[in-house]
Amino acid sequence: MTNKNKNRFFKDIFEFVLDCVKACKIKTIIILVLMVIALITGIIVAVRTKDSYSISDSFGVVDISSNSVNSSTFFTRLLSMLLVFAILLGSSYNNYTFAIGLIFLGYRAYLLGLNLCLMIVFYGFSGVVVSVIVAFPCQLLTLVVLSIFFITMSKTFCDQRNFGGCRMPKQKTKIIVSTLICLLLLCLLETILLALFSAKVILVI
């Protein structure tokens, strides 16, 4: 694939996704509001119930103080992302299953707020560094990518049922491949940052 074809490929994907998001303004707003509420709720719950947790609890934070960041931590987080990706793909098929995807996105946002807060509480300065500099930006971007993918696939499935045509399957394939690449790059970026900051804990949600 030449540079010209690559640029055209990504330009077509970007324009198609942008059109889908614009056409689904209500769904976009619902997802945005839900994730913000879920994220804040997770933080509030963590602050109010922090005494009921301990480091030994499996609340999404994995202690790797005895090991270094390696391929195992990379694939653990990537597997978590791919699981949510698969659920959102299946949930985007029609309006009846759309609510399932909403629940998973909201729950992931809730866990993000909860676990980041608990990470800071239990790991002090190390937790702050991992939370603020690494986990929060990377996981927030992951949520954005998954949300856009969910909205786009929902619109694509809807258009295919209503209008048919051979263009939609091709677009779906491009969107799926592009999203997988984005998730892989985000996971890789997070792993590199964790290694750079010599993180003792990682977030797996």
Side-chain angles (χ1 to χ4, degrees):
M1 184 181 289
T2 64
N3 289 333
K4 185 176 180 180
N5 289 334
K6 287 181 181 178
N7 292 335
R8 183 177 179 182
F9 173 83
F10 289 111
K11 184 179 179 181
D12 289 343
I13 289 295
F14 177 78
E15 290 177 349
F16 181 77
V17 169
L18 189 61
D19 288 341
C20 287
V21 172
K22 286 181 178 179
C24 299
K25 291 180 180 178
I26 295 178
K27 286 183 178 180
T28 303
I29 293 172
I30 291 174
I31 290 175
L32 178 62
V33 171
L34 175 67
M35 287 199 301
V36 171
I37 293 175
L39 181 67
I40 295 174
T41 301
I43 294 173
I44 294 173
V45 170
V47 171
R48 290 187 175 181
T49 63
K50 61 181 184 294
D51 294 333
S52 63
Y53 290 92
S54 65
I55 294 179
S56 60
D57 293 331
S58 298
F59 53 83
V61 177
V62 180
D63 192 329
I64 56 169
S65 55
S66 59
N67 302 295
S68 59
V69 177
N70 51 37
S71 60
S72 176
T73 60
F74 169 80
F75 286 111
T76 299
R77 287 176 293 104
L78 181 61
L79 183 61
S80 173
M81 292 181 185
L82 293 179
L83 177 61
V84 178
F85 169 85
I87 292 171
L88 293 178
L89 177 60
S91 302
S92 64
Y93 184 71
N94 56 45
N95 291 330
Y96 299 105
T97 57
F98 188 82
I100 298 175
L102 278 180
I103 292 172
F104 270 88
L105 283 174
Y107 185 59
R108 190 176 176 89
Y110 167 79
L111 288 178
L112 177 59
L114 177 74
N115 293 330
L116 286 178
C117 210
L118 292 177
M119 189 185 295
I120 293 172
V121 170
F122 288 116
Y123 292 92
F125 178 74
S126 176
V128 171
V129 171
V130 175
S131 298
V132 177
I133 300 179
V134 183
F136 182 69
C138 291
Q139 291 298 326
L140 188 61
L141 282 173
T142 300
L143 267 177
V144 171
V145 170
L146 289 171
S147 298
I148 292 174
F149 167 75
F150 185 46
I151 293 169
T152 305
M153 291 303 296
S154 176
K155 179 68 167 60
T156 304
F157 275 123
C158 180
D159 289 347
Q160 187 175 359
R161 287 194 303 270
N162 293 334
F163 308 110
C166 60
R167 180 172 178 265
M168 291 305 168
K170 293 180 180 179
Q171 292 292 358
K172 281 192 295 185
T173 302
K174 290 181 180 179
I175 294 165
I176 290 172
V177 171
S178 300
T179 304
L180 287 173
I181 292 173
C182 287
L183 293 177
L184 179 63
L185 291 176
L186 282 170
C187 195
L188 182 61
L189 174 63
E190 190 173 2
T191 302
I192 293 172
L193 290 174
L194 287 170
L196 286 175
F197 287 99
S198 301
K200 301 303 180 184
V201 290
I202 61 172
L203 183 61
V204 180
I205 57 175

